[in-house]
Every structure is written in C-alpha cells, then in structure tokens.
C-alpha cells in the first residue's frame, strides 16, 4: 500500500480531532500498539498534532509488560492503528498519578520511551516537543534530506531511533519505505525493484556489521547515497571494508546518543581517514559535550572520563522517578543542566570524541541497551533461584543461575514477562556463583560459557524437528549435532542467518515461515512446532481434490 502526503495529512488531522474530543492535549499520554504500518505513522503524528505525548508499545511485547508500561506511563487511551480504546480495556491497572509533568518542564511532553532499568523496573524517558523538533530540523539539514530521497523505516517504534527515520523524512517531503515484515526483511527489500530506489539507510551498528560481513552478497541500492549507523561501538575493519567497496560514493555517518539526549548527541563522518578506533565525533547543533573525572571537573584532552551532555535535546527526565532524575541530570560545567551518560570517552588530538566503554554494568547487545539488573531482578523473584547474574559475552546475553529449578522453566518465565531482547541467549546453571569478599556475585570470576556450556543435547524427536535441526546446522555451519532444545541465537545465529533459515525451510517443506517466527520460536522444538502449525493451516485450506492431487504427486 502507498499513501500520498495529502491523504496522510487528512488522516492525521481526522484522528487528532478524535483524540482531542477524548481529552488528549498537553501532558496527556496515549499508548500506541505499534506495528510497521501506515496506520502507526498516522497514530504517531496524530498524537503529536493533538499536543499530547505518545508511548509506543511494540506489538510483540508480552501482556504482563504491556500492562506494566500502561500503568507506569500514565496512559488512559490506547491506539491500535487508528482505533481508540481505553487502557482499562487492555487490562491495565489504574494509571499512576501524576502524568509526565512530575515537575515543571519548559515545554510539553512529545513521547515517553522506556529503557531497561538497573533496579529491575524499566524507566520512562520523557522527551519534549521542542527537543524533538530541534533534532528533526538538524537531521533534515545535516543529512541533506529532500523530496528525491527514499528512506527505510527500520527501527522498532518502541525505540527512539524510529524518530530519526520517520519525522525527518516526512518533514523533508521524502518517501518513507516501511518494512511490514520487520527489519529481517531488509535484504529482501533491497533485492526488489523498489529496493533499487532506496537512497538512505539508518541501521543499528550491529546489523550494519552483519551486512558488511556479507558485503558482496547484499543487493545494495543503485541510488544509495547515505548510511547512518549508531547504537554501539563501530569496528574499524568493517569501516575499512565498507570504504574499499564504496569509496566516497556512499556517505557513512556514525552517530552516538542516549535516549535521554533525544536520539543522538554526536556525529562523525567515517568517509575521512581516522587513525585508531572510529570516533563518535563532535556534538550536533545546540548540544555540548564535557569529559569529566570522578569529581565532576573537566579532564585534559586525551584523559579518559565520563561524558556529560548539555544544551539542546536533553530529556525532561524519568517519568515518576524524581530521585533517579536528580541522580542522572545534574549541574554540569558552567552551571548548566547536564546528563551523566555513564559512558567513558576521551577527547582525541584531532578534537573528536572516542567512545571507550561503560562505567557501570549497562551493556549493549545487538544494538539494544540493557541493564542486567532488570533481568536479574526477575530471575531472583523466582522462589527457587538463590543467585543470578547476567552479563554480555560476544554480543550474546548470558544468564548464570544457582537454584533448584530447570533453565527451561526460567527461560519460559522471562519470555512471558520481558521483551525478547532481554531474554538471555545462553544459560549456565551452577550449584553456587562465585562471590567477592563483600558477599556480592563476582562477575569477573564467572566462567566463560563457551559454545556448549550449559547446553543439554536432546535429539530431535519428530520429522519437523529433524528438518529444522538440519537446516540450522547447514546455515550455522556447526560441526556438532543440533538438538531439539538448542537456541538459534545461542549457537551464533543472527538476523541475516535467520533469513537463510526461512528460505531453506520454504524450499524443503514448501511452507512460508515468517522470519519473525525464528525470533519468536528460538529453539528447534519451538520452531518445528510452528512449522507443523503453518503446514496444518495451509492443508486445512485445501479442497479434497487438491489434497488427493498433492498425495499423487508426492514420490
């Protein structure tokens, strides 16, 4: 489907009018059950047009998580596409009081984005209309967006990167190309006739690394002129390989920024020669960056320190968390309000900022910002778990647990309560976890999980399980047998390999398995059951004559 600007504007205005009739205005929050559709884009714009703030909820979130965010976010209404319902109808308990204005802000709230919380409770970042408008204006100019561009909408609406893709493109008169099947379908889009018209890609760095690893197999668009990456540290060898393939023909921009600074805060063009690690660059318009030591004082160039951000784009703070807001939003150098990022950086001799790592336990896995404490809190809530620790190893999330409980049960519990990116890839069960002299889990002493640590091999028990296991073994190139309980991502799978899995299953079983299913059904047994269900659904739609014909054609 396609919609022009005139029709889009009419739909936005009509929905905004209905929202105003329901009382939506400054400081009210409207939740949006966000899929990848034109109706979702209409919903986002309509809430902003009505003067309210939107709270995006990924369509795949488990019900428990949805109810928590609706209540904590203070949402009274929910938009599913352009249909308005009450948050109570979605099973939400009474909303928290008060709303986003937990303290006076200089402007009205535009959106609330939830991020992982170190105390076990997710935290809602409140960004105001003025901050968002300023970022959109800067992006339009710096990226040179215009009516001739075609921009892919890659990011989930539940993450603030969606605002970098949707709003600058529409504000520039560009075409916005949605991915109804999710980001895993990007390679298919690029290989299609429409894909040749793409001019701008905005990708998580982790996903871009995967594309660059297969750079000659990807159908890069003929009109591609700009690739924007961000979300984690970029690898120098990947930049070198990219430049060897594209030279100066495609501009490569590395961005950095926490949700608390409205999408991005610094930028670096990687088309230039940068010795050492690729930098995160310089602050964007209106933003200021300070590198400080433990005492909060500025450190000299070249000395590592914590990055503080101030100026345009800072979020109001955390919804309903005044203590946490005061802890992270502080008085910085020069007496202005600043956000403590928790990121360690240094100012290089060339005047550019270089990211060095985190100063706390927060990690990035496949581009997702994760507070291990949130996962650990959920694990420890189980009465039979004595100890739990979650760490990141080789771009995978590893859970270490001690207790009288099966790992399968714990994983099932987390899957029903947390977003998929917070469910660990590898699990290691121990009688006890190592402790520091102070009695806390000694993370440095946790054993390397290794490729097969904590893995219990269970042979495939059905034809469907055998098929899926064989496909995984072929795609992953693993020498060891693949069992029914093995996890695709724990074995080294990623989004581009998931595309290959679905193609192999389509060729072998004659059934279209959505790429999303590989993420939702991560073990061999789970995916095999889904394949059987899809086959049964397909057969149920056939007539007796069609079934007889297929049986006769089967050797």
């Amino acid at each position: 489907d396609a919609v022009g600007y005139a029709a889009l504007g009419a739909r936005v205005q009509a929905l905004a009018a209905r929202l105003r009739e329901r009382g939506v205005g400054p400081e009210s929050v409207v939740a949006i059950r966000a899929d990848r559709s034109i109706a979702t884009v209409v919903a986002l714009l309509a809430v902003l047009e009505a003067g309210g703030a939107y709270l995006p909820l990924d369509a795949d979130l488990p019900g428990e998580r949805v109810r928590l965010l609706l209540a904590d976010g203070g949402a009274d209404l929910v938009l599913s596409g352009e249909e308005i319902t009450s948050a109570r109808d979605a099973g939400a308990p009474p909303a928290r009081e008060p709303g986003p204005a937990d303290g006076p802000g200089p402007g009205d709230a535009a959106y609330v984005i939830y991020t992982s919380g170190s105390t076990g409770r997710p935290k809602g970042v409140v960004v105001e209309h003025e901050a968002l408008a300023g970022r959109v204006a800067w992006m339009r100019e710096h990226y040179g967006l215009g009516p001739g561009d075609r921009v892919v909408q890659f990011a989930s609406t539940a993450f603030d990167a969606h605002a970098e893709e949707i709003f600058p493109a529409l504000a520039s008169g560009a075409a916005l190309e949605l991915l109804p099947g999710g980001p895993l379908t990007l390679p298919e889009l690029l290989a299609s006739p429409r894909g040749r018209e793409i001019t701008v890609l905005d990708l998580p760095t982790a996903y871009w690394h995967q594309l660059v690893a297969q750079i000659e197999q990807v159908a890069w668009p003929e009109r591609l002129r700009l690739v924007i990456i961000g979300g984690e540290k970029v690898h120098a060898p990947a930049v070198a390989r990219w430049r060897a393939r594209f030279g100066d023909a495609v501009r490569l921009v590395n961005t950095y920024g926490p949700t608390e600074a409205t999408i991005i805060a610094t930028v670096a063009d990687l088309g230039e020669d940068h010795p050492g690690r690729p930098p995160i660059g310089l602050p964007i318009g209106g933003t200021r960056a300070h590198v400080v030591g433990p005492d909060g004082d500025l450190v000299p160039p070249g000395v590592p320190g914590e990055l503080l951000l101030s100026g345009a784009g800072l979020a109001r703070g955390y919804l309903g968390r005044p203590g946490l807001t005061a802890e992270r939003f502080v008085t910085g150098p020069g007496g202005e309000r600043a956000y403590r990022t928790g990121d360690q950086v240094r100012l290089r001799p060339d005047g550019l900022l270089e990211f060095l790592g985190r100063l706390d336990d927060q990690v990035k896995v496949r581009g997702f910002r994760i507070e291990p404490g949130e996962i650990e809190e959920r694990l420890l809530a189980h009465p039979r778990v004595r100890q739990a620790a979650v760490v990141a190893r080789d771009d995978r999330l590893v859970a270490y647990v001690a207790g009288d409980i099966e790992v399968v049960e714990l994983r099932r519990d987390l899957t029903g309560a947390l977003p998929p990116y917070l469910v660990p890839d590898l699990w290691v069960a121990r009688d006890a976890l190592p402790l520091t002299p102070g009695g806390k889990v000694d993370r440095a002493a946790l054993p390397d999980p290794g490729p097969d640590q904590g893995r219990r091999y269970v042979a495939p028990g059905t034809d469907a399980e055998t098929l899926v296991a064989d496909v995984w073994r072929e795609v992953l190139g693993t020498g060891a047998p693949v069992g029914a309980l093995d996890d695709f991502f724990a074995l080294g799978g990623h989004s581009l390999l998931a595309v290959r899995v679905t193609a192999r299953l389509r060729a072998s079983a004659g059934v279209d398995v959505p790429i999303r299913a590989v993420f939702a059904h991560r073990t061999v047994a789970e995916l095999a059951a889904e394949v059987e269900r899809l086959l049964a659904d397909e057969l149920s739609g056939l007539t007796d004559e069609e079934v007889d014909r297929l049986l006769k054609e089967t050797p």
Side-chain angles (χ1 to χ4, degrees):
D1 294 339
V3 62
Y5 273 86
L8 177 67
R11 288 170 64 175
V12 169
Q13 291 299 331
L15 181 55
R18 292 168 54 207
L19 289 171
R20 292 190 190 99
E21 291 173 358
R22 299 287 293 266
V24 174
E27 297 306 307
S28 56
V29 177
V30 179
I32 298 177
R33 293 305 302 264
D35 59 6
R36 298 172 181 276
S37 67
I38 295 171
T40 291
V41 176
V42 171
L44 297 173
L45 295 172
V47 173
L48 295 176
E49 176 65 21
Y54 64 84
L55 165 59
L57 303 173
D58 194 286
D60 291 335
L61 280 182
E64 180 180 330
R65 187 76 165 192
V66 169
R67 291 186 289 273
L68 185 155
L69 298 187
L70 285 175
D72 192 79
D76 292 321
L77 300 177
V78 178
L79 275 174
S80 298
E82 296 170 59
E83 178 184 352
I84 307 173
T85 58
S86 166
R88 294 288 185 90
D89 294 338
R96 56 172 296 280
E97 293 290 347
D102 289 324
D108 297 325
Y111 60 72
V112 180
I113 297 285
Y114 273 85
T115 67
S116 184
S118 58
T119 62
R121 173 184 167 191
K123 50 186 184 286
V125 181
V126 182
V127 171
E128 297 177 342
H129 280 256
E130 184 178 355
L132 177 59
R135 284 293 187 261
V136 170
W138 182 89
M139 291 168 181
R140 282 181 58 189
E141 179 179 357
H142 191 76
Y143 299 151
L145 298 173
D149 279 312
R150 195 172 195 90
V151 182
V152 171
Q153 202 277 297
F154 182 93
S156 164
T157 316
F159 299 96
D160 63 348
H162 77 271
E164 183 175 33
E165 299 164 347
I166 296 174
F167 301 135
L170 296 180
S172 306
L176 187 67
E177 184 76 44
L178 303 180
L179 291 174
L184 299 179
T185 60
L186 179 62
E188 296 175 5
L189 171 64
L190 297 182
S192 71
R194 287 205 330 273
R196 290 198 291 270
E197 300 302 312
I198 299 299
T199 62
V200 179
L201 288 173
D202 195 329
L203 305 172
T205 302
Y207 190 90
W208 179 79
H209 282 149
Q210 294 173 12
L211 290 179
V212 173
Q214 305 177 53
I215 199 165
E216 298 303 332
Q217 285 73 51
V218 177
W220 299 102
E222 298 169 2
R223 297 185 57 219
L224 186 64
R225 68 170 186 83
L226 171 65
V227 173
I228 305 160
I229 59 176
E232 61 185 66
K233 190 184 301 184
V234 61
H235 301 158
V239 175
R241 190 173 187 189
W242 177 268
R243 292 186 63 189
R245 169 68 170 78
F246 289 104
D248 297 328
V250 179
R251 183 182 175 197
L252 180 64
V253 176
N254 186 30
T255 63
Y256 160 87
T259 303
E260 291 85 347
T262 310
I263 314 167
I264 63 171
T266 72
V267 66
D269 272 82
L270 299 184
E272 306 169 7
D273 288 321
H274 296 294
R277 297 188 185 97
I280 60 173
L282 296 171
I284 67 175
T287 301
R288 288 173 288 282
H290 317 278
V291 186
V292 302
D295 55 3
D297 293 334
L298 293 171
V299 300
V303 175
E306 182 179 6
L307 176 62
L308 267 61
L309 298 171
S310 62
L314 284 197
R316 178 184 300 175
Y318 299 111
L319 181 60
R321 311 281 290 276
L324 182 60
T325 298
E327 176 186 332
R328 304 304 300 183
F329 291 84
V330 299
T331 301
E336 62 180 343
R337 183 172 182 260
Y339 171 65
R340 293 183 55 198
T341 66
D343 288 328
Q344 187 178 54
V345 301
R346 72 180 181 96
L347 189 63
R348 304 181 348 167
D350 58 9
L352 301 178
L353 290 167
E354 180 179 300
F355 177 82
L356 300 177
R358 288 292 299 177
L359 293 168
D360 55 19
D361 293 332
Q362 186 188 108
V363 297
K364 281 286 185 75
V365 176
R366 296 188 289 273
F368 294 107
R369 169 177 162 179
I370 295 171
E371 296 279 5
E374 180 171 2
I375 309 168
E376 293 167 357
E377 187 83 8
R378 181 74 195 194
L379 290 171
L380 291 169
H382 198 289
R384 299 204 303 276
V385 174
R386 297 188 302 274
Q387 295 172 292
V390 177
V391 300
R393 298 276 174 87
D394 298 326
D395 211 27
R396 292 184 290 180
L397 212 54
V398 185
Y400 295 83
V401 292
D404 182 24
I405 185 172
E406 288 287 334
V407 162
V408 173
E409 183 179 342
L410 283 176
R411 185 174 178 277
R412 188 184 305 118
D413 179 61
L414 260 61
T415 301
L418 300 178
Y421 67 91
L422 290 181
V423 178
D425 303 296
L426 289 176
W427 295 77
V428 179
R430 286 286 185 269
D431 293 334
L433 303 186
L435 300 178
T436 65
K440 296 183 178 181
V441 172
D442 188 350
R443 296 175 185 274
L446 292 171
D448 186 337
D452 299 317
Q453 184 74 31
R455 176 186 174 199
R456 181 166 61 93
Y457 177 77
V458 176
T462 66
D463 290 342
E465 290 181 1
T466 299
L467 170 64
V468 171
D470 288 344
V471 168
W472 284 15
R473 186 174 181 181
E474 176 188 355
V475 169
L476 296 170
T478 177
V482 174
L485 302 183
D486 286 340
D487 183 296
F488 180 71
F489 298 95
L491 294 178
H494 53 68
S495 53
L496 293 185
L497 291 179
V499 174
R500 295 187 187 179
V501 166
T502 59
R504 296 286 199 283
L505 290 175
R506 186 183 305 117
S508 301
V511 62
D512 285 327
V513 179
I515 299 173
R516 184 182 294 272
V518 181
F519 276 64
H521 309 283
R522 294 172 44 148
T523 69
V524 166
E526 291 170 355
L527 186 57
E530 179 66 6
V531 170
E532 290 178 327
R533 187 191 67 79
L534 292 170
L535 277 170
D537 288 348
E538 188 170 313
L539 289 173
S540 66
L542 298 178
T543 65
D544 291 341
E545 291 78 9
E546 289 172 326
V547 172
D548 288 339
R549 186 172 65 253
L550 287 173
L551 290 173
K552 291 176 182 177
E553 293 173 355
T554 303

